[in-house]
Amino acid sequence: MKPGEERHRFRKEEKTGSTSGLCEKYVQTNLVTLPKEYAFDFLLFCIRNPKPCPLVEVLEAGKTVPEIADADVRTDLPRYRIYRNGEFSEEVLNLTDVWKDDFVTFLIGCSFTFETALVEGGIPMLHQEQEKVVPMYKTNIPLEKAGLFEGDMVVSMRAIPNNLMDAALEISEQFGQAHGSPVHAGHPEDIGIADLHKPDYGDSVEFDPASSTPVFWACGVTPQNAALQAKPSIMITHAPGHMLITDQLDPNYDG
Amino acid sequence: MKPGEERHRFRKEEKTGSTSGLCEKYVQTNLVTLPKEYAFDFLLFCIRNPKPCPLVEVLEAGKTVPEIADADVRTDLPRYRIYRNGEFSEEVLNLTDVWKDDFVTFLIGCSFTFETALVEGGIPMLHQEQEKVVPMYKTNIPLEKAGLFEGDMVVSMRAIPNNLMDAALEISEQFGQAHGSPVHAGHPEDIGIADLHKPDYGDSVEFDPASSTPVFWACGVTPQNAALQAKPSIMITHAPGHMLITDQLDPNYDG
């Protein structure tokens, strides 16, 4: 199905599941919506931390239809999360009831697109094979503070067969709007991860450390994490894995 | 003299002239200061229009010392202009009296650095030879709107000898934080410039059209122009030609 067809089903709430594996090769994005009073600080935070927060598009207050998708950000994602004063409040299927005209929306790159390219490059995605959510970890890699927003980077981990390391780096670094090249490989303890079997988000994934190396990419959960520490009165995000599917083919596939 | 020494003289108001030709090879920047209520829109405007508005650094509200220079932006430029409600109000030597804690400052790349590189590349800068301010023109090249801010691009013109065109393009495109490669060459009427002898800012510069081509670069006056159209209650800029001299060697010279 085309992105528009999938989004139509989300809008009608006929389909409410993860967008993982849907419309592969089309850019999918994380969503962060904040009242305008927080928008300057958060925009500056994204600019200062482009690896975890690659900006795909910013919708000014009052705008609900992005350039990158013929979609309404209030209804066309399958599932949203609402946080109030830095704490999870509720999960909803649309934002019709909570939307205010001063809300600013940030669309931030996501790793789904580069995973497709890695698989096409012959690199196994073990979490997909094991039917798990990619494991994510809080690290000690500090972010550049911007106004209210600060914190450490969150990373996702994919174990890469040692003989395919170069290919994985080469493929992922082409996806600058989807976190790009890894931030670390090999030594989780160096970036403050004590136990790979205990991810902070997602699931633990099994791999053979003799033949594979754990590789860490900056993760789109980072801005949510930083935003929650800033305790905005309200913040809305996509539910994890339930992204905005855009109409844009990733430039690496397009043409 | 080193940047710190020049800035010390500006601070003491012992020297109040243009920074053109001072501390060559050090990055100089345009300055735009706005109250925080306009900061999100203006930041987004810069991001959407990186050719005329290449962001070098943003200082959040309350910050007066940038990372890029051991300087106080309120005192360490030779001369400032203050605009109120979109109209020029006064020119001052420091901002001590008008400064407020909610002011956000944007440092934006400037063409002084790449001019040095062009001269070193054997390309004559006719406005320098004729002791004039580089001619600048309003164009019909539309900018991407962001909130309150919109308008057309302002460009600067340098006539380049035809046999040095490739070199000029090659050199300037390396200066991504100083407007980079030209936006147009050859046909001023195509970008809405009726008469090269009547610049909107700066001075008319003589050149031989048989042996040289007029080349147009995006210009740091653009954001000022757009900001004035938005009529903010107050906006402060450097006085034209009176830039912030930073402590950073341009990466193209550094090392």
Side-chain angles (χ1 to χ4, degrees):
Chain A
M1 277 205 289
K2 288 281 191 181
E5 295 169 303
E6 293 288 7
R7 291 193 309 257
H8 185 75
R9 296 187 175 214
F10 302 149
R11 188 181 313 182
K12 297 281 176 200
E13 299 177 3
E14 293 164 7
K15 196 167 171 180
T16 60
S18 166
T19 56
S20 176
L22 300 183
C23 306
E24 290 179 353
K25 305 195 181 178
Y26 283 89
V27 171
Q28 295 197 22
T29 72
N30 298 282
L31 174 141
V32 174
T33 296
L34 287 163
K36 184 161 183 185
E37 63 179 295
Y38 304 104
F40 169 70
D41 285 0
F42 191 69
L43 178 54
L44 193 56
F45 182 78
C46 291
I47 295 169
R48 289 187 178 163
N49 297 286
K51 284 286 257 191
C53 313
L55 280 172
V56 172
E57 189 175 340
V58 181
L59 284 72
E60 293 108 306
K63 235 186 125 183
T64 55
V65 178
E67 302 289 324
I68 200 173
D70 184 21
D72 188 319
V73 294
R74 297 170 297 187
T75 53
D76 292 4
L77 281 72
R79 204 174 271 272
Y80 303 83
R81 285 195 174 170
I82 301 173
Y83 299 82
R84 298 179 196 274
N85 303 310
E87 293 190 6
F88 173 70
S89 166
E90 68 247 46
E91 190 163 297
V92 295
L93 301 182
N94 68 72
L95 302 176
T96 311
D97 291 342
V98 297
W99 192 264
K100 293 213 172 120
D101 283 344
D102 77 332
F103 283 3
V104 175
T105 295
F106 300 84
L107 303 179
I108 293 169
C110 138
S111 54
F112 282 3
T113 322
F114 84 63
E115 287 191 346
T116 307
L118 289 171
V119 169
E120 291 198 341
I123 297 160
M125 290 286 101
L126 295 180
H127 62 283
Q128 292 179 1
E129 294 177 6
Q130 296 172 27
E131 296 190 353
K132 288 177 175 170
V133 174
V134 70
M136 291 164 271
Y137 306 87
K138 295 179 184 175
T139 71
N140 60 12
I141 302 170
L143 301 171
E144 293 287 329
K145 180 177 158 76
L148 284 177
F149 297 99
E150 61 187 315
D152 294 324
M153 193 184 291
V154 177
V155 296
S156 59
M157 189 280 287
R158 294 163 189 82
I160 305 293
N162 296 337
N163 63 327
L164 294 171
M165 282 288 279
D166 287 351
L169 302 193
E170 207 170 285
I171 291 169
S172 65
E173 78 182 7
Q174 290 163 34
F175 289 79
Q177 281 205 314
H179 310 304
S181 56
V183 294
H184 185 80
H187 305 286
E189 63 281 6
D190 287 359
I191 55 171
I193 301 171
D195 186 348
L196 279 186
H197 292 100
K198 294 183 180 162
D200 295 294
Y201 310 91
D203 303 318
S204 178
V205 166
E206 299 304 315
F207 68 95
D208 174 8
S211 61
S212 291
T213 301
V215 180
F216 301 90
W217 278 268
C219 172
V221 172
T222 307
Q224 290 184 33
N225 205 46
L228 290 176
Q229 290 181 32
K231 303 197 194 319
S233 55
I234 186 168
M235 179 178 77
I236 299 164
T237 73
H238 65 285
H242 299 66
M243 305 291 177
L244 173 67
I245 306 178
T246 76
D247 295 318
Q248 187 172 86
L249 281 170
D250 189 282
N252 293 284
Y253 297 118
D254 195 4
Chain B
M1 277 205 288
K2 288 282 191 183
E5 295 169 306
E6 293 288 9
R7 292 193 309 258
H8 184 76
R9 294 186 177 216
F10 302 148
R11 188 183 313 182
K12 297 282 176 198
E13 299 175 4
E14 294 164 7
K15 197 167 171 180
T16 60
S18 165
T19 56
S20 177
L22 299 183
C23 307
E24 291 179 351
K25 305 195 179 179
Y26 285 88
V27 171
Q28 295 197 22
T29 72
N30 299 280
L31 174 140
V32 174
T33 295
L34 288 162
K36 184 161 183 184
E37 63 180 295
Y38 304 104
F40 169 70
D41 285 0
F42 190 70
L43 178 55
L44 193 56
F45 182 78
C46 292
I47 295 169
R48 289 187 177 162
N49 297 287
K51 284 286 256 191
C53 313
L55 280 172
V56 173
E57 189 174 338
V58 181
L59 284 72
E60 293 109 306
K63 234 185 125 182
T64 55
V65 178
E67 303 289 325
I68 200 172
D70 184 21
D72 189 319
V73 294
R74 297 170 298 186
T75 54
D76 291 5
L77 281 72
R79 206 174 272 271
Y80 304 83
R81 285 194 175 171
I82 301 174
Y83 299 82
R84 297 179 196 274
N85 303 309
E87 294 192 3
F88 172 70
S89 166
E90 68 246 46
E91 191 163 296
V92 295
L93 301 182
N94 68 71
L95 303 176
T96 312
D97 291 342
V98 296
W99 192 264
K100 293 212 173 118
D101 284 344
D102 78 333
F103 283 2
V104 174
T105 295
F106 301 84
L107 304 179
I108 293 169
C110 139
S111 55
F112 282 2
T113 322
F114 84 63
E115 287 192 345
T116 307
L118 290 171
V119 170
E120 291 197 342
I123 296 161
M125 290 288 100
L126 295 180
H127 63 284
Q128 291 179 1
E129 293 176 8
Q130 296 172 27
E131 297 190 355
K132 289 177 175 169
V133 175
V134 70
M136 292 163 272
Y137 307 86
K138 295 178 184 175
T139 71
N140 60 11
I141 302 171
L143 301 172
E144 293 285 331
K145 180 177 157 75
L148 284 177
F149 298 99
E150 61 186 315
D152 294 324
M153 193 185 291
V154 177
V155 296
S156 59
M157 188 279 287
R158 293 164 190 82
I160 305 293
N162 296 337
N163 63 327
L164 294 171
M165 282 287 280
D166 288 351
L169 303 192
E170 207 170 283
I171 291 168
S172 66
E173 78 182 5
Q174 291 163 32
F175 289 80
Q177 281 205 315
H179 310 304
S181 56
V183 293
H184 186 79
H187 306 284
E189 62 282 6
D190 287 359
I191 55 171
I193 301 171
D195 186 349
L196 279 187
H197 292 100
K198 294 183 180 162
D200 295 294
Y201 310 91
D203 304 317
S204 179
V205 166
E206 298 304 317
F207 68 94
D208 174 7
S211 61
S212 291
T213 301
V215 180
F216 301 90
W217 278 267
C219 172
V221 172
T222 308
Q224 290 184 34
N225 204 46
L228 289 177
Q229 289 181 34
K231 302 198 193 316
S233 55
I234 186 168
M235 179 178 76
I236 299 164
T237 73
H238 65 286
H242 299 66
M243 305 290 178
L244 173 67
I245 305 178
T246 76
D247 295 318
Q248 188 172 84
L249 282 169
D250 189 281
N252 293 284
Y253 297 118
D254 195 3

